[in-house]
Amino acid sequence: MNLSRELCAARDAADALSGRRDLFDLPDGVIYLDGNSLGALPRAVGPRLEAAVSQAWGKDLISSWNVHGWIDLPSRVGARLARLIGARPHEVIASDSTSVNLFKLAAAAVAMRKERSVIVTESGNFPTDLYILQGLRDLLGDDLISLRVVEPEQVAGALDEDVAAVVLTHVHYKSGRLHDMAAITQRAHEVGALALWDLSHSAGAVELDLNGCGVDLAVGCGYKYLNGGPGAPAFLYVPERHHDDLRSPLTGWMGHARPFEFVDTYEPGGGVLRGLCGTPPILGLTALDAALDVFDGVAMADLRAKSQALGDLFLHLVAGRCADSGLGLACPTDSALRGSQVSLSHPDGYAIVQALIERGVTGDFRAPDILRFGFAPLYVRFVDIWDAVEILRDVMASETWREPRFNLKAAVT
Ligand SMILES: *Cc1c(COP(=O)(O)O)cnc(C)c1O
């Protein structure tokens, strides 16, 4: 393959998704490869938020719960998300954070398998997932539940008849490695356990078929590939077959069967709505709802194909151009085993990422040595990959990253 920038431009010209980029408000001079951490701003968000603030909140005030349908927003946004993850519309709601939703569903899973005492997860899972499970264990007491934390390759082998649930992140946040959702879910079912998946790094970038895989429960993040904005509401998925059995431990009034009857005793709401807790974050949901417009009419298979092509191109160019730079490979080379990011490693990864950011290439760093580059297929172009790797090559060859200003750590990496 004799690649050139012109060839990359030709691929963009032939790309059926290329027009989607105009739906985003991207800053000039920035190649944004961090949509896996904070998705870019869709143009529709600002005006919709503005209207929600000035008209709905400002003028219509409390009547907006009915007039503007605020009360149904968690379900409406959930129904739109359902298409992106292979679920049915009544199986998904958007509200709360991923961490909170994970707590709700992990606790519910344990309650659905009362006679069992183990939760299986993997070491190196995203910290909040591990911390939430540790908190749940501490709350229930370790005579009731223990955590079996194993290496990623050992997950299937760790599933036995003591296991209530396996809780895994589908795409690993550091390595981008993709778990075999269908196989692990099936293995969990063979031993009578439930499978709870965290889709934070999958939703909006990887084709998913939760119904087809028989997934029992799932949560995911609204501000990564779904572009809902910082701290956007997350979502949770409960398939219809579990609707009657699910008990959220956070029995807030919005998850009640009849919240506006104000009765003293909790009674779970119908279907996935019982996964709600308190008053939904309406402004955040409004932003996420507007952000989801960019997916309208997009086939997730096309999105996935482009994501894989972008990652393959990046790795191919890095292998050819940064061969002696000391950068290691920290993600699967086979795009079928990778989410929508690539990861490189270098002991001075932090400084290299800072030097890249100054040159207009935004990726991020994950301790201790990982450089992450995320490819949101709706707005990242093939020429962006070409340019980003050219700049990476230059930063590595010139060693500008050694300058002291690139080595000062900020609070958020
Ligand atoms: C980003 C991410 C989260 C985010 O959780 P918050 O509650 O929104 O902070 C959770 N889990 C995984 C795997 C993530 O990648």
Side-chain angles (χ1 to χ4, degrees), residues 6 10 54 99 155 160 170 172 179 219 222 224 234 264 277 351 363 366 392:
E6 289 64 41
S54 57
S99 302
V155 168
D160 60 30
H170 182 222
H172 195 268
H179 268 303
V219 299
K224 290 171 180 160
D264 280 357
C277 181
R366 286 293 173 262
L392 176 62

Side-chain angles (χ1 to χ4, degrees), residues 27-309:
D28 289 336
V30 172
I31 298 175
Y32 192 63
L33 305 182
D34 215 0
N36 52 322
S37 203
L38 176 66
L41 170 65
R43 291 186 196 280
V45 169
R48 294 265 277 283
L49 267 182
E50 171 59 28
V53 169
S54 57
Q55 180 62 40
W57 179 12
K59 302 282 186 305
D60 302 330
L61 286 161
I62 201 159
S63 70
S64 297
W65 286 103
N66 295 313
V67 174
H68 295 287
W70 281 355
I71 196 70
D72 301 319
L73 208 44
S75 314
R76 285 209 309 277
V77 173
R80 297 185 76 188
L81 288 168
R83 182 184 77 82
L84 308 184
I85 61 175
R88 290 176 288 174
H90 61 294
E91 296 177 324
V92 184
I93 48 167
S95 206
D96 299 323
S97 65
T98 308
S99 302
V100 170
N101 287 335
L102 189 73
F103 179 79
K104 293 178 208 167
L105 294 192
V110 167
M112 286 159 81
R113 290 290 180 274
K114 269 200 175 49
E115 64 293 352
R116 297 175 174 228
S117 60
V118 175
I119 295 176
V120 170
T121 189
E122 67 172 273
S123 54
N125 197 349
F126 189 76
T128 212
D129 298 56
L130 293 170
Y131 302 162
I132 288 287
L133 296 179
Q134 289 161 15
L136 178 62
R137 177 207 49 206
D138 294 348
L139 181 70
L140 296 174
D142 44 20
D143 45 333
L144 264 183
I145 205 82
S146 64
L147 303 184
R148 191 178 287 167
V149 185
V150 300
E151 295 293 316
E153 311 75 41
Q154 259 115 52
V155 168
L159 299 179
D160 60 30
E161 321 236 306
D162 294 331
V163 175
V166 53
V167 181
L168 290 174
T169 304
H170 182 222
V171 172
H172 195 268
Y173 75 105
K174 267 192 203 172
S175 68
R177 188 247 319 106
L178 195 87
H179 268 303
D180 187 339
M181 179 182 280
I184 292 175
T185 300
Q186 188 190 341
R187 177 72 196 134
H189 292 170
E190 280 164 14
V191 299
L194 298 169
L196 195 180
W197 290 95
D198 184 333
L199 310 175
S200 290
H201 281 278
S202 320
V206 175
E207 201 182 4
L208 292 163
D209 184 9
L210 297 192
N211 284 164
C213 292
V215 167
D216 294 292
L217 301 163
V219 299
C221 180
Y223 52 79
K224 290 171 180 160
Y225 296 106
L226 296 174
N227 313 307
F235 64 89
L236 62 82
Y237 159 81
V238 181
E240 190 180 305
R241 70 180 186 282
H242 290 320
H243 279 181
D244 291 342
D245 294 333
L246 186 98
R247 289 289 180 280
S248 170
L250 300 182
T251 47
W253 71 307
M254 282 291 156
H256 191 277
R258 296 170 308 280
F260 291 93
E261 288 186 12
F262 298 99
V263 295
D264 280 357
T265 305
Y266 179 76
E267 188 187 319
V272 73
L273 277 177
R274 63 181 57 183
L276 289 178
C277 181
T279 304
I282 296 304
L283 297 180
L285 285 165
T286 299
L288 178 57
D289 190 28
L292 290 177
D293 289 1
V294 299
F295 289 95
D296 285 349
V298 172
M300 293 309 284
D302 295 342
L303 196 79
R304 172 68 172 149
K306 182 176 175 190
S307 147
Q308 290 177 278

